[in-house]
């Protein structure tokens, strides 16, 4: 939905039979971004045990025209001591433990950056930004193939990556 507004002054008619009626006006359509969102969200799912290996990586292909943020859902299958996610040199480090059933939401989308926790057995989401290392960077998916490396300490997790590609107009 586009928001429309009157861009310039309204011209009123001076003819007696049209007095007070608008004869001409200009509307401008303002889009919030130069990009269009794709119509489908992409989701990728990965499961891993808490061991540090080269296999602890998710390959995500951003089919859009521009870099885009994502939501990373980290489900603690068992107790986890910490969670580290990275693309290249950019790292997001959650430095607190999770118990089995806890669900961590890491949102790197523009204007929505947050880290929220849904404790096992509840529906309430609570902000846990204070448990994220302050040097963490909320990375985006570049166009093309991306490799998200991750490490969980002492546990098992399922990770889901959700993103919506964006396209140039």
């Amino acid at each position: 939905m586009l928001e429309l507004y009157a861009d310039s002054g309204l011209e009123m008619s001076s003819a007696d039979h049209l007095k007070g009626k608008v004869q001409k006006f200009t509307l401008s359509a303002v889009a919030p971004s130069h990009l269009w969102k794709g119509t489908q969200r992409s989701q990728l799912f990965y499961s891993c045990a808490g061991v540090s290996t080269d296999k602890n990586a998710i390959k995500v292909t951003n089919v859009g025209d521009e870099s885009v943020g994502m939501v990373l859902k980290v489900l603690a299958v068992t107790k986890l001591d910490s969670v580290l996610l990275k693309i290249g040199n950019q790292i997001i480090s959650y430095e607190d433990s999770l118990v089995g059933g806890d669900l961590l939401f890491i949102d790197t989308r523009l204007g929505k950056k947050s880290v929220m926790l849904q404790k096992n057995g509840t529906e309430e989401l609570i902000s846990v930004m204070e448990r994220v290392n302050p040097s963490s960077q909320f990375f985006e998916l570049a166009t093309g193939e991306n490799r998200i490396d991750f490490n969980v300490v002492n546990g098992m997790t399922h990770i889901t990556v959700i993103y919506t590609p964006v396209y140039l107009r």
Side-chain angles (χ1 to χ4, degrees):
M1 180 164 136
L2 295 176
E3 186 176 318
L4 300 174
Y5 64 94
D7 190 288
S8 61
L10 301 176
E11 291 182 23
M12 306 299 271
S13 174
S14 59
D16 284 341
H17 68 287
L18 294 174
K19 209 158 231 345
K21 295 193 176 166
V22 176
Q23 285 254 296
K24 178 180 164 187
F25 62 93
T26 305
L27 289 179
S28 294
V30 179
S33 171
H34 67 288
L35 302 170
W36 288 108
K37 285 185 178 180
T39 56
Q40 293 182 331
R41 285 189 331 179
S42 296
Q43 289 194 43
L44 295 119
F45 176 78
Y46 192 85
S47 180
C48 85
V51 291
S52 183
T53 71
D54 284 340
K55 294 179 183 170
N56 287 353
I58 305 171
K59 288 191 179 173
V60 181
T61 302
N62 176 4
V63 297
D65 294 330
E66 293 286 326
S67 296
V68 67
M70 71 199 103
V71 176
L72 296 151
K73 288 174 39 178
V74 180
L75 172 64
V77 176
T78 61
K79 182 182 185 290
L80 302 175
D81 290 337
S82 66
V83 177
L84 181 109
L85 300 152
K86 90 181 217 183
I87 290 182
N89 294 328
Q90 297 178 310
I91 296 172
I92 299 173
S93 178
Y94 179 78
E95 299 179 337
D96 198 6
S97 62
L98 299 170
V99 299
D102 284 355
L103 186 56
L104 191 66
F105 294 89
I106 301 170
D107 194 337
T108 72
R109 295 174 297 171
L110 183 64
K112 298 184 179 187
K113 292 177 177 25
S114 63
V115 180
M116 305 293 283
L117 176 63
Q118 183 178 11
K119 295 295 285 175
N120 181 18
T122 68
E123 292 187 25
E124 180 184 9
L125 286 174
I126 56 172
S127 176
V128 289
M129 284 293 287
E130 71 279 358
R131 301 177 196 171
V132 176
N133 184 307
S135 65
S136 293
Q137 298 170 307
F138 285 76
F139 48 74
E140 293 187 332
L141 294 172
T143 55
E145 189 173 286
N146 295 264
R147 177 184 161 129
I148 302 174
D149 294 300
F150 57 93
N151 189 16
V152 293
V153 178
N154 296 329
M156 185 171 182
T157 186
H158 298 301
I159 297 177
T160 304
V161 179
I162 303 166
Y163 79 100
T164 303
V166 293
Y167 302 95
L168 295 172
R169 294 179 181 190

